[in-house]
Amino acid sequence: MKTFTYQIFATVADRGSFRKAADDLNITPSAVSHAISHLEAQLGIPLLIRNRSEMQVTRNGQILLPMVERLLNEERQLLSAAAKIQGLQGGQIRIGAISSVCIAWLPTIIRRFSKKYPQVEITLIQGSFAEIEQALSLGKIDLGFSALPTISRLDALPLIDDEIKCITPADFTPKNGVSISQDDLEDRHFILQRSDYDSDTKAALDELQVKPQAINYSIDDQSILAMVEAGLGWGILPDLALTKLSGEVEAYPFEHPYYRHLGLVINPSSAKDPFVKAMQKEILSYLKKG
């Protein structure tokens, strides 16, 4: 429960609207809603009365709001003092990301950030969700992209719901014409990255009754597309992984949609670093505006 969550609560209380608060903070209304619900769950009390036209702070929320505002003010003073000490002239940010985020998002995000803070050194570490969360827990990276929910001692800000698609040869058409149903999966083999056989993908395959013996593994996402194109099996990849991949294949949604939920996770010891906060702001701005 970090101060950005408190900032979201204070902004909603001030603006009376999830959407207006989201605009002020450069995040999505969905992220605002997730953060408020998470804070209410942790505190064990409702903070807002949700009406169709506006949000009202509950009586308990009004008791806590002055304390939240004092905390935010103290944080601003701390960051201001740190910025003066550092002169905002140099520093380092260590980022952990899965391959699809490295390809689809980070080139533009890092380029934009580096124009604003050219003296900041950025280190990028690519790994699986589990490796990223472990690196965050050990303090080896400052922030990372991971699947939600994360391990309990890490706080995360929801980013996107990334739909998982079925990758088929270009000449295949689902029986219903638009999506993959259970009837399409009989006797099919799948090709995945071993690191992608995470909780979300596994849950989808288990629900679709795809047996482990019907799964083979490949090196990377582009190799999966090449194997699907060659007729060696089908793939399962999230939308984000398909952003810059190519091949004579088709990507169909499942009849019952499946998603992996991506979030931005901050190392608690780095959360108040001015450059980490600036990078977080750049990431959220990029995802909001593209």
Side-chain angles (χ1 to χ4, degrees):
M1 190 164 58
K2 298 297 179 279
T3 52
F4 188 64
T5 303
Y6 295 144
Q7 182 64 65
I8 292 173
F9 170 49
T11 304
V12 172
D14 179 58
R15 301 287 280 160
S17 162
F18 280 3
R19 183 167 296 280
K20 290 178 181 178
D23 289 340
D24 287 354
L25 297 171
N26 281 322
I27 58 177
T28 65
S30 175
V32 171
S33 178
H34 277 292
I36 294 296
S37 296
H38 180 65
L39 182 58
E40 289 177 327
Q42 287 196 304
L43 295 176
I45 57 174
L47 298 173
L48 298 171
I49 300 171
R50 294 157 172 81
N51 296 322
R52 179 172 298 180
S53 58
E54 63 178 0
M55 302 293 161
Q56 294 181 341
V57 181
T58 65
R59 188 169 182 176
N60 288 329
Q62 290 172 350
I63 294 172
L64 296 180
L65 187 57
M67 290 181 273
V68 168
E69 291 174 338
R70 282 198 299 271
L71 185 151
L72 293 172
N73 184 54
E74 289 173 358
E75 182 192 46
R76 283 190 289 269
Q77 293 176 9
L78 173 65
L79 295 179
S80 176
K84 289 178 181 178
I85 293 170
Q86 296 185 60
L88 284 181
Q89 294 179 354
Q92 181 186 41
I93 296 177
R94 303 160 298 169
I95 303 173
I98 55 175
S99 61
S100 55
V101 170
C102 290
I103 294 170
W105 292 350
L106 286 180
T108 300
I109 290 171
I110 291 174
R111 184 177 69 250
R112 292 179 180 179
F113 182 89
S114 295
K115 285 183 178 179
K116 298 175 183 177
Y117 307 99
Q119 300 92 348
V120 177
E121 177 186 349
I122 298 175
T123 302
L124 180 60
I125 299 172
Q126 183 175 314
S128 66
F129 292 137
E131 290 168 340
I132 291 167
E133 291 190 17
Q134 182 181 34
L136 283 163
S137 297
L138 296 175
K140 293 182 177 179
I141 57 177
D142 299 305
L143 54 83
F145 298 84
S146 190
L148 303 182
T150 62
I151 57 179
S152 59
R153 61 181 176 274
L154 294 176
D155 285 342
L157 185 67
L159 296 177
I160 66 167
D161 294 330
D162 195 14
E163 187 170 3
I164 297 170
K165 298 289 183 62
C166 185
I167 314 302
T168 74
D171 59 359
F172 174 81
T173 303
K175 292 183 179 180
N176 66 17
V178 293
S179 61
I180 301 296
S181 66
Q182 188 72 55
D183 291 340
D184 295 306
L185 300 179
E186 188 174 351
D187 297 326
R188 300 293 182 182
H189 289 265
F190 287 87
I191 304 165
L192 311 173
Q193 278 199 69
R194 190 172 295 276
S195 61
D196 281 341
Y197 194 51
D198 54 31
S199 57
D200 297 312
T201 304
K202 186 177 186 303
L205 293 174
D206 288 349
E207 188 170 324
L208 294 166
Q209 301 177 26
V210 174
K211 305 300 182 184
Q213 57 266 30
I215 300 172
N216 295 317
Y217 296 100
S218 184
I219 299 172
D220 54 36
D221 295 337
Q222 186 62 62
S223 297
I224 292 173
L225 294 192
M227 292 184 181
V228 174
E229 188 176 7
L232 301 178
W234 287 8
I236 293 183
L237 290 171
D239 270 335
L240 188 62
L242 298 169
T243 304
K244 295 189 178 181
L245 298 182
S246 60
E248 292 297 318
V249 299
E250 292 291 338
Y252 289 103
F254 288 96
E255 188 174 41
H256 169 71
Y258 297 98
Y259 297 90
R260 67 175 183 182
H261 308 285
L262 293 182
L264 182 65
V265 190
I266 310 294
N267 178 342
S269 63
S270 304
K272 294 185 179 180
D273 183 288
F275 294 121
V276 173
K277 292 178 74 69
M279 176 59 78
Q280 174 181 303
K281 183 177 179 180
E282 193 66 51
I283 291 168
L284 297 177
S285 176
Y286 170 79
L287 292 180
K288 181 180 179 183
K289 299 176 182 178

